[in-house]
């Protein structure tokens, strides 16, 4: 890939990071990293430091949960904490429509519209987090505090 040329979803993430006052730490990896385990192996970090950007369908609206790669989100507990109806895993089409990104490459930022976001508080145990940057080859590093700031996410346990 030529320097300075990125797929559109990655370019949007890079732009969003800058617009939000965050450092552009986007790293493009040689191989695809569509899972937390693959990303951790490629980056040489603990899978728990991978921030999965999981999109759910909450009564027809998107809900983005930024969860540790080592965690399985308990949507029943999250719904109870939020006092909402049922939270369902979103279809690939729903995810693409609301984020402009495909499942496995969804970033916490760079979406067409702001999405209600929750942040798994267990991620605070890591000095450096890695999150998807818009496609299956790209990740960016960020601190927990900075991730919370740029997403405006509500912190909570998600399991």
């Amino acid at each position: 890939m030529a320097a300075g040329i990125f797929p559109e979803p990655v370019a949007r993430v890079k732009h969003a990071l800058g617009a939000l006052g965050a450092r552009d730490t986007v790293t493009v990896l040689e191989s695809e990293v569509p899972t937390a385990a693959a990303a951790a192996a490629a980056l040489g970090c603990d899978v728990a430091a991978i921030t999965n950007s999981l999109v759910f369908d909450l009564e027809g609206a998107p809900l983005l949960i930024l969860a540790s790669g080592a965690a399985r989100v308990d949507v029943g507990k999250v719904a109870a904490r939020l006092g909402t109806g049922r939270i369902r895993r979103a279809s690939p089409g729903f995810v693409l429509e609301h984020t402009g990104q495909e499942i496995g490459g969804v970033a916490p930022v760079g979406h067409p519209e702001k999405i209600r976001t929750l942040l798994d508080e267990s991620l605070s145990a890591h000095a450096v987090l890695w999150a998807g940057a818009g496609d299956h080859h790209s990740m960016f590093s960020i601190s927990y505090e900075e991730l919370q700031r740029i997403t405006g996410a509500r912190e909570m346990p998600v399991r």
Side-chain angles (χ1 to χ4, degrees), residues 46-50 68 70 122-129 142-145:
D46 187 329
V47 72
I50 300 296
S68 168
S122 76
L123 288 166
S124 66
H126 304 278
V128 176
L129 300 174
I142 194 165
S143 71
Y144 178 86
E145 294 78 15

Side-chain angles (χ1 to χ4, degrees), residues 7-108:
E8 184 60 30
V10 178
R12 283 194 308 270
V13 170
K14 291 172 71 63
H15 175 77
L17 289 170
L20 293 164
R23 285 187 34 236
D24 177 352
T25 58
V26 172
T27 300
V28 178
L29 304 165
E30 286 189 31
S31 59
E32 288 191 352
V33 289
T35 66
L43 295 165
C45 69
D46 187 329
V47 72
I50 300 296
T51 304
N52 283 334
S53 297
L54 306 172
V55 179
F56 293 88
D57 182 333
L58 175 59
E59 300 168 349
L63 174 67
L64 178 61
I65 300 179
L66 305 177
S68 168
R72 181 162 179 89
V73 174
D74 184 330
V75 293
K77 285 184 179 176
V78 171
R81 286 182 181 112
L82 292 176
T84 63
R86 185 168 169 239
I87 298 171
R88 296 176 299 153
R89 176 124 356 219
S91 70
F94 185 91
V95 172
L96 185 60
E97 174 188 350
H98 291 283
T99 67
Q101 304 158 359
E102 294 181 5
I103 291 175
V106 175

